[in-house]
Amino acid sequence: MFRSLKILLGALLLVFVAACAHPDGFEIRSHPAASSQVSAFDQALYSEYWPDAADESGEDDNFASDLHAKKGKAANSGATVLPEEVDSTPLGGHKAVHESELAGLTDARGRLMGFMDRGAREIRPTWTARAQVAFDCWKEEASERNARGGVLEPAHVAACKGNFNAAMAKVEPFLPPLAMPERLHMFNLMPDQGGPPQPAMAGAPDTYLVFFDWNKADLTPEALGIVRTAAANAKKSGSARVEVTGYADTSGSPDYNQRLSRRRADAVKAELVKQGVAGKNVTTIGKGETELLVPTPDGVREPQNRRARIVIHVMGK
């Protein structure tokens, strides 16, 4: 009798674990009130993820519904919620991203994360949130296959992709200009307010900003593009003098951040030289956690402070 009871209890436990391990569509049934204690970006994420979760539930896609509802709830609690990884394999019976969409999604996520590193969450919270949710929608739809292994609903993929690109177009013009450091007071704008940056004053040196991941000195794909643009402009004049200054946020010790900022400057110089700029014309300096772009207390990971500045002095400028 006891042996039978143990078997029964074991079977019930397996059913319980299986229910917890697979999406059941129940997440949408619990709809917490929107929090006013989280950032504008997190509030926007919550308001964007929730209708999307409801739509997926209406289509009986429990995996996507549960995923987006959980992400909305996490944002509503103030947790950091990132766009989905492109190379991750979804659970719940869904397959990996279709190869026809892999390159586009990889590039799109890189652009989105680059925008976020430049302050998009703070400057354009609503549109940045829409871009993130549209990206996750795009990835989800690109993971669904038909009987022949193709994309199940190409029109849905196109719609999510279109929403992503439309939202990104509303974000980019308001980000800090990469060649005009004197206009970086754009960070003082209220979220989603103010006009796009104006052109730099004539005669100013050509200046570019590149941003880095936390505790990294490697150039991101977006940073590589910026450095290559700077190199192309520097090579237009053989006498151009280039200054590269690296910076860090306050999340490490001052000594470590000083070394990290110098590594960032050196990484930029190495790419400039690789692109054909004479090494003798490039000087580097690391300023550690001094001259913060966004003032923060000690120990804060601030993406806008993890940067390097490239200044190109051309004859006559």
Side-chain angles (χ1 to χ4, degrees):
M1 177 178 178
F2 288 110
R3 178 178 177 81
S4 298
L5 181 60
K6 287 182 179 180
I7 293 174
L8 177 60
L9 289 173
L12 290 173
L13 180 60
L14 287 174
V15 170
F16 175 76
V17 171
C20 293
H22 296 283
D24 51 25
F26 289 164
E27 289 292 334
I28 196 67
R29 301 183 185 182
S30 172
H31 191 168
S35 173
S36 61
Q37 304 302 311
V38 298
S39 70
F41 174 73
D42 287 335
Q43 292 179 45
L45 268 186
Y46 174 69
S47 66
E48 293 291 332
Y49 270 123
W50 207 258
D52 198 71
D55 288 344
E56 296 292 352
S57 177
E59 297 176 0
D60 294 324
D61 189 339
N62 290 338
F63 171 79
S65 177
D66 279 356
L67 175 63
H68 291 186
K70 287 178 180 178
K71 294 183 81 167
K73 290 176 182 179
N76 198 45
S77 70
T80 300
V81 178
L82 297 175
E84 290 294 293
E85 295 282 353
V86 177
D87 59 354
S88 63
T89 301
L91 303 176
H94 287 241
K95 298 179 180 179
V97 169
H98 192 273
E99 56 270 18
S100 65
E101 297 295 327
L102 184 59
L105 280 163
T106 301
D107 177 71
R109 191 179 192 278
R111 286 179 58 216
L112 179 57
M113 294 302 295
F115 281 15
M116 289 177 174
D117 281 348
R118 289 166 60 190
R121 292 182 182 95
E122 294 77 21
I123 297 172
R124 298 288 275 176
T126 299
W127 287 105
T128 305
R130 290 182 184 178
Q132 175 168 327
V133 176
F135 173 84
D136 282 0
C137 172
W138 177 7
K139 177 181 181 292
E140 168 61 25
E141 295 294 341
S143 302
E144 298 180 351
R145 311 291 183 93
N146 58 28
R148 297 182 178 180
V151 175
L152 180 62
E153 296 282 357
H156 290 182
V157 172
C160 295
K161 187 188 304 186
N163 290 338
F164 171 80
N165 288 327
M168 292 287 276
K170 295 287 188 179
V171 175
E172 187 168 23
F174 292 83
L175 296 182
L178 294 175
M180 294 168 277
E182 69 276 10
R183 300 293 298 177
L184 289 178
H185 67 268
M186 282 290 294
F187 283 114
N188 296 326
L189 291 175
M190 294 295 291
D192 291 341
Q193 294 180 3
Q198 301 301 313
M201 294 177 59
D206 295 329
T207 307
Y208 304 81
L209 287 181
V210 296
F211 294 86
F212 294 84
D213 292 332
W214 180 74
N215 199 30
K216 299 288 186 181
D218 303 325
L219 295 174
T220 66
E222 184 184 48
L224 277 171
I226 295 167
V227 174
R228 289 166 183 170
T229 298
N233 289 332
K235 288 189 296 181
K236 290 177 181 178
S237 171
S239 60
R241 179 170 54 87
V242 184
E243 298 173 355
V244 182
T245 307
Y247 302 88
D249 61 24
T250 63
S251 60
S253 69
D255 287 344
Y256 179 81
N257 285 336
Q258 177 62 36
R259 295 192 298 273
L260 178 59
S261 68
R262 183 55 187 262
R263 282 166 39 212
R264 287 171 173 166
D266 289 342
V268 172
K269 177 179 179 178
E271 184 61 29
L272 288 169
V273 172
K274 182 179 178 180
Q275 296 301 318
V277 179
K280 66 180 182 179
N281 293 340
V282 183
T283 59
T284 59
I285 185 172
K287 292 198 173 182
E289 58 186 60
T290 65
E291 299 183 14
L292 298 175
L293 191 59
V294 178
T296 69
D298 188 39
V300 175
R301 298 184 183 183
E302 173 50 58
Q304 297 167 44
N305 291 333
R306 302 193 296 262
R307 68 197 194 279
R309 184 180 65 196
I310 307 168
V311 181
I312 301 174
H313 298 273
V314 181
M315 185 70 67
K317 286 193 174 183

